[in-house]
Amino acid sequence: MSETLPEIQYRLEQVRRVAGPLPGPRSQELAARRQRAVAAGVASSVPAWAADADGGIVADVDGNQLVDLGSGIAVTSVGASAPAVVARVQEAVAHFTHTCFMVTPYEGYVAVAEKLAELTPGDFPKRTALFNSGSEAVENAVKIARPHTRRQAVVVFDHAYHGRTNMTLAMTAKVQPYKQGFGPFAGEVYRVPVSYPFRDPEGMSGAEAARRALLQVEKQVGAENVAAVVIEPIQGEGGFIVPAEGFLPALSAWCTEHGAVFVADEVQAGVARTGEWFAVDHEGVVPDLITVAKGVAGGMPLSGVVGRAEIMDSVHPGGLGGTYGGNPVACAAALGALETIEEWDLRGRARRIEQIVREELEPLAAQTGIVGELRGRGAMMALELVLPGGTEPHPEAARAVAAACLEQGVITLTCGTYGNIVRLLPPLVIGEELLRDGLRVLADAVRRAAQ
Ligand SMILES: *Cc1c(COP(=O)(O)O)cnc(C)c1O
């Protein structure tokens, strides 16, 4: 990628190849079987069925090679079969698949907790609890904040996404497809405006946006009732919204002042995705609790809450846990993934990916008139598509772009409250040539959608 970044050896050839129309015949057979066996509520955005994946390539069952600009939603940052992850998983699984940490504990869990304490911001004693999914981590962060503060209210933001369990659905903003028909949702969750520079009044600073949100909290909830303020430092599903500088520090300071727990939901933006270990690091913000999942274990299901010892330890013994939380094989994968991020300087690669994305996609705004904004950090970048000349969301264009990319063998994802965002979450190990190839396909698709 650049001379200073370590060379990566790939198992699969890193080239895009589309043999025929997608989906191919084997994928179509599997889709027919799926319809008779899998619940309709579980949907997939790519019609090609996976057979193998490595580096920036997902190979399908019909011999096509797709460029992966999604990483299975920000999970396979180290690749879908990173050697260190594969080796550690194989070693772990050959000994024991499970004992349950709440029954017979094992070292891997502690090693992951030690590593997360070292990598997360904050020079104070920390504790970690491990779970399986991002939703579970967020839900547990709320559980932990309540007995610590002896308060109940949870403050969340417009466009937030925190998961699909009942508590986290209350915290998630968007009704379709996440919440529709699934209520009633958990109580004591209050939503306030986020900082969304593209849609906020021109020139609104982060501090002003924080005042707007916190005044609403003070008047409608009461500062003395707030157990936790939970925010994604860069919103994921809500549209890759990067708050104005100063917004996160102001929220954090308010929490300290009023005795509320400041929780950064780093499930999507964390673990090197944005070019720093955590997205809050870009502004030197030190949350009380951080939730991690997605990219932390190289594709194995693992999540955690990491934070200040006095907050984490305010829960009584036995109050936290779960049968599979911190599964030994998933912990082994996490140790392999974190080691890979360090050895291959994947934070450096994330920053390089941002440069390349900006180089390839920046001209689109002037060329097409439908790119309202190219934004993001590191390998978490997005195009917000709008109707020409304004800010009105253009979800049809986002859908058309994603579909056109797929036809050419490039996996992209859409997101956003208005469905008008094309987001890029490539594996951090993707090679420069393959990345540029995928981005050029994307750029062509945007130009065509504008015609
Ligand atoms: C994906 C996501 C979650 C939920 O994670 P799951 O593993 O799908 O339960 C929570 N918060 C954020 C910010 C996410 O991106």
Side-chain angles (χ1 to χ4, degrees), residues 23 27 49 51 57 78 111 138 166 171 189 227 254 296 370 374 393 409 421:
S27 283
W49 288 62
I57 289 290
V78 298
V138 172
N166 186 266
M171 299 167 70
V189 175
W254 184 92
V296 76
I370 64 165
L374 167 64
I421 316 280

Side-chain angles (χ1 to χ4, degrees), residues 89-153:
V89 164
Q90 285 173 337
E91 170 68 20
V93 81
H95 288 283
F96 58 98
T97 55
H98 174 86
T99 58
C100 188
F101 194 73
M102 301 184 304
V103 179
T104 314
Y106 38 86
E107 183 178 351
Y109 192 117
V110 181
V112 171
E114 288 167 347
K115 197 77 199 157
L116 289 174
E118 176 193 317
L119 299 174
T120 46
D123 189 15
F124 41 71
K126 291 174 196 157
R127 302 284 186 269
T128 291
L130 298 178
F131 306 97
N132 304 286
S133 69
S135 307
E136 223 186 327
V138 172
E139 184 141 358
N140 275 280
V142 171
K143 272 176 70 176
I144 294 162
R146 281 175 168 163
H148 173 73
T149 55
R150 299 170 195 254
R151 304 172 181 176
Q152 294 185 352

Side-chain angles (χ1 to χ4, degrees), residues 133-136 138 161-164 232 237 265 267-268 293-294:
S133 69
S135 307
E136 223 186 327
V138 172
Y161 182 86
H162 296 294
R164 290 178 183 265
E232 300 154 86
E237 308 302 303
D265 180 357
V267 166
Q268 189 154 161
K294 293 200 166 99

Side-chain angles (χ1 to χ4, degrees), residues 73-75 132-138 160-165 168 172 231-238 240 264-269 291-294 301-303 380 423:
I73 319 189
V75 170
N132 304 286
S133 69
S135 307
E136 223 186 327
V138 172
Y161 182 86
H162 296 294
R164 290 178 183 265
T165 57
T168 56
T172 287
I231 189 164
E232 300 154 86
I234 296 179
Q235 290 182 319
E237 308 302 303
F240 280 34
D265 180 357
E266 292 260 10
V267 166
Q268 189 154 161
T291 56
V292 297
K294 293 200 166 99
L302 186 77
S303 69
M380 186 172 183
R423 60 172 156 170

Side-chain angles (χ1 to χ4, degrees), residues 378-447:
M380 186 172 183
M381 302 292 293
L383 296 168
E384 170 143 17
L385 302 182
V386 293
L387 294 176
T391 60
E392 200 170 321
H394 197 352
E396 298 77 18
R399 272 196 296 277
V401 166
C405 284
L406 204 55
E407 234 168 70
Q408 301 295 313
V410 178
I411 299 172
T412 60
L413 304 170
T414 59
C415 68
T417 297
Y418 315 111
N420 65 323
I421 316 280
V422 178
R423 60 172 156 170
L424 305 174
L425 291 162
L428 307 182
V429 293
I430 194 170
E432 173 161 349
E433 225 175 297
L434 190 67
L435 176 61
R436 286 194 194 272
D437 175 51
L439 292 171
R440 285 172 190 165
V441 169
L442 169 64
D444 274 344
V446 175
R447 281 189 284 267

